[in-house]
Amino acid sequence: MKQTHAPTAETTSQGDWDDYIKAYYEKPASFKSWSGYDLKEIYTPEDRPGENYKKNSADAGTYPYTRGIHANMFRGRLWTKREVVGIGSPADTHARLKYLSQQGGSGLNTIADVTYEMGLDADHPWAIDEVGLTGVNITSIKDMETLTKDIPLDKVSWSLITASTAASVTMAQYVAVAQDAGYDVGILRGSIQNDPIHFRYCGFRPACPLDLSIKLGSDVMEYCTRNMPKWYYTTVNMYDLREQGITAPQEVAFGFGIAMCYIDELIRRGLDIDEFAPRFTFYVSCHVDIFEEVAKIRAARRMWARLMKEKYGAKNPRSMQFRFAVHTAGCSLVPQQPYNNMIRIAYEALAAVLGGVQSLHCCSYDEPMCLPTEKAHLQALRTQQILAYETGVTNVADPLGGSYYVESLTDKIEEESLKVMNQVEEVGGMEEAIRTEWLDRQFESEAVKRQKELDKGEKLMVGVNVFTTEQEKTTPLGVQKISSSSAKQQVAEVKELKRTRDMDRLNDAIKRLQDDANDGKNLIPAMIEATKALGTTGELLGTVREVFGYPYDPMESIESPFNF
Amino acid sequence: MVKRLLAGDRRSAARLITLVENEMDDHHKVMSLVYPHTGQAMILGITGAGGAGKSTLTDHLIGKFREQGKKVGVVVVDPSSPFSGGAFLGDRIRLQSHSQDDGVYIRSMASRGYLGGLSRATYDVIRIMEAMGNEVVIVETLGAGQDEIDIIHIAHTCLLIVTPGMGDDIQAMKAGIMEIADIIVLNKADLDGANTSLRHLQGALTAGSFEEGEWMPCVVSTVSAANKPEDLQGIDELASAIAEHQTYLRKTRAIDRVKYNRVEQELGLIFKDELQKIIFKGLKGTGKKREYIESIIEQRNDPYSVVEEVLNTYLLPGE
Amino acid sequence: MAEKKKIKVLVTKVGLDGHDRGAKVVSSLLKEAGMEVIYLGMFQRPESIVRAAIDEDVDVIGLSYLSGEHLIFTPKVVDEMKKNNFVDVLLIAGGTFPAEDIPIMEEMGIDKVFRAGSLTESIVDYINDHVEE
């Protein structure tokens, strides 16, 4: 289904007035939401027969929290403007963090690179080529010290984006640094993504075997629940799932499915739902169909509240509140006509805010091309600031609530999402869906569908299948160079650390980690100790892996240096 | 190029395989040069439904043969799309551990329209791998026992991979396992229902009738896809079973019968293909093809009578 | 009956990069365009890529890069191809690159770069037009 008329740049530049006149009478070709649901011309009270406000919506801050988790939403506190940062070395990342916080950013947010997420030290044969290209690698406590240098950890809120089993080490490294600096971990505020199960779908299967993912993910969750009451120990990542090309209801359904794997494990360990659920958070996408995304978020809030109350018997209101951060959809952006991305990102940020987000990362416009330059990063932050300070969307909680359309769409997304959750049950539950690769097949078939929609013109994208222009030769706000000398230096420092550290102390710590793993204990304390003894990411994870029967090295190219 | 092939050159092997797969140029001539250097390899067929674990088993078996110092060639066949003619050949992903081993040569093939999953060219591809110096050639394919072009006619030892609770075991029994495979592999034997499946399979075998000295298919339980090395099961047993079958073939000279069948099959296929080409070409030339076909459509004639007439006229004069 | 020779395309990720959505979609759509696609998946090094390309006698090697590693690995892949005297294939790349890197990649030996947002037709047409019979 094509546009009835979609002039290309070439025609109009030749002064074809015919096209111009046709464009005046243009109609949209499709009346479906992004996820494919038919929409009516207009929604009226008739679409809401028997509406039960108290049961299905209620005010913001009241169960089932459809309209928001706080009664006053942004009047009480603006969402955190938390731009993701991760470039090159810990020192480079630290500099960018400082820059953004001076420009008005209100939350620190650092992301691991592929080598760190895979659990490799910077000097690992597979890591050497790629250290620092997509984020930061923290091999030892020294790197974490550099990253956090001079930053008052007792006052800031820090989001650590390590998703894989390496998150256990990240947590240990952060705690170790905080403790060495004299902070009481009980007052630390922030979050750690810690969602290794979903990371299997981001290319990290070697680092995230299912059983180890549940084990280490839950160890972090349990440790934080008991020791760090102000810390959010997981941000279950449905954003990455959505990036695979799935629909909005699938995003919620699969995200909840993965969340339940962790929840069930924590309950199995003897924790009470109300003990830990208040600190359980999510990472959600905002794609470019504004209304569908708002409806999705509202549906997720309602579904989560009911899930916690009815399935898990939660009593604490905070357990039933769907707390989430948003990352605007990377897959909605394209390199063609790059400035367009700023507009898409602005709309997506709007959806996030209209949806009542707690913490927001806006992509920078160069997301489909490279890591952001300072300018690009700043522009993303400004996008948030204009939204927060100029548009007035912060004045009222759930401003779209009550719209006949948005309420209908919220119900629709909830309905479809529950259907998908049933599908997962029919396949045997989430773990089974993962093991049998049923989930992989969903992602693969949806991804092909999305591409075909673009190829056939069923979904339109400016610069891709309509209004296309010659490929640009330059990137408007410059290209961020990742310093290869930074990487080389980090590798050299890692080698030096391994050469000069106290091996007796380290061996003792590694032995303890091994013992704790064999005894089924929570491994974070041992990891903290080993980190302070200058044990590295690869060494800590490798030791645990071996106890669980896996090769020391996820890439199976190096052996454990320890020989007990 | 054939000379280089005989010396074990990978590039030549690859090019020659492309040649025969696409029936290019003088592939007949080339194959006649290759043929004298074949016949010494063990040809192992591995078949079974999608998802049964064929590739992971192949991966382990390659390892076993390499331990014995044998060079291994592998042909992995996947179905071509009946709509586009294209194919997605993704089995190499599961054969990664041998990607840098010079003693292993892996080639993916699309079935290209052959229902049984194997094209005529497969015979030639196997020969090229033999001539290259591989002492074992493994042919992995989907489906079994459905067509004249299939694995049981190509391989010396045939493995059928089934998994518990998928109904494969029942299907296998219905089709008559004895006709399909020399060794039945019950893979994913750690799943529920494995014991039941095993009993069914063994029951079906004992119910079958075998002559004195004939090979009775055996069942081996395996777990091929394990994240942890310690969870791997049955690979040694499988390798032994294969070795036993090979010994049986040699000792009882059953290998001769197998070879005879292979050649007979292949000749039959080539005759069929070539004769069809010749006849249709000839008929077209005389304009008779369209005549015959239209007469059949208009019910003035039927296919069998047409064939009889053509054969009597052109092939069997005087009969 | 000899058919027109099928075009064989090797599609692979390189290094640690795990963003495989594009590589899988392209592979699927090339299959629908009648090509035979050898999909190598993740964690490939230049040696394993070129070894597979030779053994499978492919016409096209397609590299998928989405983690900023394109300038690091491309020369290594091209060197490996030269070392093995396997240079007559079409070498294409897809993924995320800044515009400035495209001429550099072409200089290194990539015949054509397809950025994210490329429509399938452009890739299929390019391959059909540039693979020698």
Side-chain angles (χ1 to χ4, degrees), chain A residues 376-393:
Chain A
H377 233 148
L378 185 60
Q379 193 62 60
L381 182 56
R382 295 285 182 247
T383 306
Q384 297 207 40
Q385 289 164 336
I386 292 169
L387 200 51
Y389 303 119
E390 297 185 27
T391 64
V393 291

Side-chain angles (χ1 to χ4, degrees), chain B residues 18-29:
Chain B
T18 304
L19 202 85
V20 304
E21 238 198 320
N22 293 289
E23 298 184 18
M24 289 155 72
D25 304 342
D26 314 305
H27 72 279
H28 287 165
K29 228 154 128 212

Side-chain angles (χ1 to χ4, degrees), chain C residues 19-31:
Chain C
H19 297 89
D20 63 350
R21 172 181 168 181
K24 281 182 173 169
V25 166
V26 168
S27 298
S28 196
L29 295 173
L30 290 182
K31 166 187 167 177

Side-chain angles (χ1 to χ4, degrees), chain B residues 18 84 89 102 105 108 112, chain C residues 31 37 51 55-57:
Chain B
T18 304
S84 70
L89 308 173
D102 287 342
Y105 180 87
S108 312
R112 295 195 182 176
Chain C
K31 166 187 167 177
V37 181
R51 164 60 59 96
D55 287 357
E56 300 283 0
D57 198 23

Side-chain angles (χ1 to χ4, degrees), chain A residues 81-87 93 96-97 100 107-112 134-136 159-161 193 239 283 326-328 359-364 367 371-372 377 380 384:
Chain A
K81 294 180 214 62
R82 206 186 278 277
E83 291 295 322
V84 173
V85 178
I87 41 168
T93 303
R96 183 63 67 85
L97 279 176
L100 286 175
L108 300 173
N109 192 346
T110 49
I111 189 163
T134 56
V136 68
S159 261
L160 297 161
I161 303 187
Q193 186 163 117
Y239 164 79
Y283 212 34
V326 161
H327 185 303
T328 63
S359 171
L360 177 61
H361 160 82
C362 284
C363 286
S364 49
E367 167 86 16
L371 285 188
H377 233 148
Q384 297 207 40

